[in-house]
């Protein structure tokens, strides 16, 4: 993209490739990693030389700040195989903007967009054979930064390590759409307004594991988070945002400060508006969901996120009451969104919004 920047990223190519170890017909999420990774270290007040080098272990010191105080952010995005010469990155400007917003909230130095784009392009070129080809598969990209100063003090670190690692992932819906079941948690909240809920920071996820495990032990797939103050308004689900189709209106919980601003969420709302649906971004209470379900106005409920794109919701439990949505599969509206978004990602449908950054490899 930018020659000076491309030259600035020092590339150490791996001597051999591990790609032959990959069983592309049986890919698991996040278990095997591309041959190369990006690395940049921040110290003495600035980011150092960006490097792409063979994927491998990194040296850590037990006193590293991140292990004790959790100053860390990450992103999750995907690249898609279009043809032999083209790999598509989806909404990378949005991902980078969110990455920097997360950094700001966590007092981590922001990163340059040009370095991010160039690093991704170079990683895709170097590891193009790692990008799975079948429809539904993708090349997952995980940028992350953590506080790496070796200092046992609860204060902003002076040193940070920034990496981008990659992983080929299988089709999420290889066996068809299985609607998920959700349960509102008792006695737990995910995030409060003014807290860190809208940042993609590691601690948010650690804090959600116990309520998620308890929901799973009761037979539900995931937790449906309500707002922390009134325990009434719907926020989001695990690693997805949530949407409700009430009659012909798409209702999406608004970004109050405690919800992660999902990029798939944004795409869903933009497409629904394109198609002439009424799109409302507002507070929606769990009571409204139950009432519209009982009155027959609640047509579809689905989650949105990079991992699954669209995830149909078939059941919601709240205070011992349960509603069932749909008929055990994906609704027509959710299916249309899934087809449109994935079609754009694989370069099969016209990209009217300029969401795709195609990389020639
Ligand atoms: C907490 C949370 N909410 C929502 C999402 C969905 O966001 P996106 O569509 O950008 O993947 C994610 C995944 O990144 C997440 O971790």
């Amino acid at each position: 993209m930018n020659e000076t920047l491309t030259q600035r990223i020092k590339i150490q190519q791996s001597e051999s490739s591990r790609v032959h170890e990959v069983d592309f017909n049986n890919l698991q999420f996040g278990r095997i990693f591309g041959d190369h990774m990006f690395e940049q270290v921040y110290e003495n007040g600035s980011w150092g030389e960006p490097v792409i080098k063979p994927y491998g272990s990194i040296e850590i010191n037990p006193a590293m700040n991140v292990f004790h105080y959790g100053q860390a952010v990450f992103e999750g995005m995907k690249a898609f195989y279009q043809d032999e010469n083209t790999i598509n990155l989806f909404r990378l400007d949005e991902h980078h903007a969110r990455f920097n917003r997360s950094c700001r909230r966590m007092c981590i130095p922001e990163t340059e967009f040009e370095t991010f784009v160039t690093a991704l392009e170079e990683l895709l070129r170097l590891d193009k054979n790692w990008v799975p080809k079948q429809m539904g598969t993708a090349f997952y990209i995980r940028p992350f930064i953590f506080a790496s100063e070796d200092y046992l003090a609860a204060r902003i670190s002076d040193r940070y390590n920034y990496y981008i690692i990659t992983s080929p992932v299988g089709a999420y819906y290889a066996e068809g759409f299985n609607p998920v079941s959700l349960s509102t948690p008792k006695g737990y909240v995910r995030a409060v307004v003014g807290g860190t809920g809208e940042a993609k920071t590691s601690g948010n996820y650690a804090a959600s594991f116990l309520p998620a495990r308890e929901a799973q032990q009761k037979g539900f797939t995931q937790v449906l988070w309500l707002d922390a103050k009134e325990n009434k308004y719907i926020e989001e689900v695990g690693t997805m945002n949530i949407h409700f189709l009430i009659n012909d209106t798409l209702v999406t919980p608004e970004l109050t400060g405690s919800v992660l601003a999902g990029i798939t969420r944004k795409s869903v709302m933009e497409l629904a508006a394109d198609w002439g649906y009424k799109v409302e971004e507002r507070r929606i209470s769990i009571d409204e969901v139950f009432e519209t379900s009982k009155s027959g106005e609640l047509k579809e409920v689905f989650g949105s996120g990079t991992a699954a794109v669209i995830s149909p919701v078939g059941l919601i439990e709240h205070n011992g009451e349960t509603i069932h949505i749909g008929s055990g599969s994906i609704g027509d509206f959710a299916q249309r969104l899934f087809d449109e978004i994935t079609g754009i990602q694989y370069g099969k449908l016209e990209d009217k919004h300029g969401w795709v950054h195609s990389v020639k490899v």
Side-chain angles (χ1 to χ4, degrees):
M1 180 171 183
N2 179 325
E3 271 197 44
T4 42
L5 277 161
T6 310
Q7 283 157 7
R8 251 185 55 200
I9 298 185
K10 197 166 122 198
I11 296 178
Q12 300 164 14
Q13 211 164 329
S14 99
E15 280 170 18
S16 59
S17 174
R18 289 175 287 105
V19 74
H20 60 271
E21 293 170 16
V22 184
D23 177 1
F24 281 98
N25 295 317
N26 189 24
L27 289 168
Q28 289 181 325
F29 182 87
R31 287 275 183 202
I32 186 156
F33 307 99
D35 282 327
H36 296 88
M37 65 182 186
F38 170 85
E39 181 187 63
Q40 195 174 21
V41 175
Y42 181 97
E43 52 193 345
N44 303 321
S46 64
W47 285 108
E49 185 183 45
V51 181
I52 287 178
K53 60 188 205 179
Y55 179 89
S57 302
I58 55 174
E59 200 179 306
I60 53 168
N61 182 304
M64 248 184 205
N65 194 294
V66 66
F67 298 127
H68 309 276
Y69 310 109
Q71 215 191 340
V73 297
F74 67 98
E75 263 307 313
M77 51 192 290
K78 279 177 173 174
F80 303 86
Y81 180 90
Q82 178 169 330
D83 57 48
E84 225 174 289
N85 307 310
T86 321
I87 295 166
N88 293 332
L89 285 158
F90 188 66
R91 305 202 78 169
L92 83 168
D93 47 345
E94 292 282 345
H95 281 283
H96 185 261
R98 186 172 68 186
F99 197 34
N100 270 348
R101 287 202 304 276
S102 300
C103 286
R104 281 201 288 281
R105 180 62 183 84
M106 303 311 291
C107 281
I108 291 173
E110 291 178 37
T111 66
E112 245 181 39
F113 181 63
E114 287 73 14
T115 309
F116 182 73
V117 179
T118 313
L120 292 176
E121 290 180 344
E122 290 299 324
L123 283 171
L124 291 180
R125 285 189 193 112
L126 285 163
D127 287 350
K128 64 179 181 189
N129 295 333
W130 284 79
V131 180
K133 297 187 174 63
Q134 276 165 305
M135 196 64 188
T137 62
F139 198 44
Y140 186 77
I141 298 168
R142 168 57 59 88
F144 63 102
I145 306 178
F146 61 87
S148 56
E149 188 182 352
D150 303 327
Y151 185 35
L152 290 184
R155 63 129 174 88
I156 300 167
S157 175
D158 274 347
R159 190 176 193 274
Y160 298 87
N161 280 39
Y162 170 16
Y163 293 92
I164 305 177
I165 60 173
T166 58
S167 178
V169 295
Y172 204 91
Y173 290 116
E175 283 145 37
F177 290 97
N178 286 323
V180 296
S181 58
L182 307 178
S183 166
T184 58
K186 310 273 167 306
Y188 300 109
V189 296
R190 191 192 89 93
V192 293
V193 175
T196 59
E198 64 182 355
K200 217 163 156 56
T201 183
S202 312
N204 288 344
Y205 298 83
S208 73
F209 293 162
L210 177 64
R213 185 172 64 186
E214 289 183 6
Q216 278 153 18
Q217 282 165 346
K218 288 187 203 139
F220 300 103
T221 325
Q222 289 205 44
V223 170
L224 175 61
W225 294 108
L226 301 180
D227 77 283
K229 197 168 164 208
E230 296 178 70
N231 204 34
K232 183 173 170 190
Y233 296 101
I234 292 172
E235 300 232 308
E236 60 182 306
V237 181
T239 56
M240 295 190 301
N241 294 107
I242 190 157
H243 309 265
F244 302 87
L245 184 68
I246 302 178
N247 292 323
D248 275 340
T249 304
L250 176 70
V251 182
T252 304
E254 69 181 1
L255 301 175
T256 53
S258 50
V259 175
L260 191 87
I263 289 150
T264 324
R265 172 188 181 277
K266 194 170 182 182
S267 312
V268 161
M269 291 193 295
E270 288 172 16
L271 288 174
D274 286 356
W275 297 338
Y277 284 87
K278 203 167 153 214
V279 175
E280 290 179 357
E281 200 179 352
R282 62 167 170 88
R283 295 210 294 182
I284 175 166
S285 68
I286 185 74
D287 294 340
E288 180 179 346
V289 171
F290 273 61
E291 280 155 22
T292 53
S293 168
K294 284 171 195 155
S295 67
E297 292 166 285
L298 182 66
K299 307 296 182 202
E300 296 186 26
V301 181
F302 55 90
S304 65
T306 295
V309 186
I310 299 293
S311 190
V313 174
L315 181 154
I316 299 176
E317 184 275 339
H318 174 64
N319 283 347
E321 252 199 276
T322 299
I323 54 169
H324 292 266
I325 307 118
S327 55
S329 188
I330 187 167
D332 292 343
F333 179 66
Q335 179 76 59
R336 186 176 175 197
L337 285 163
F338 180 83
D339 293 344
E340 184 75 19
I341 296 173
T342 53
I344 295 169
Q345 289 171 332
Y346 292 97
K348 294 190 190 304
L349 294 178
E350 192 194 342
D351 175 23
K352 293 182 197 137
H353 293 269
W355 288 342
V356 162
H357 177 81
S358 293
V359 181
K360 289 292 160 208
V361 294

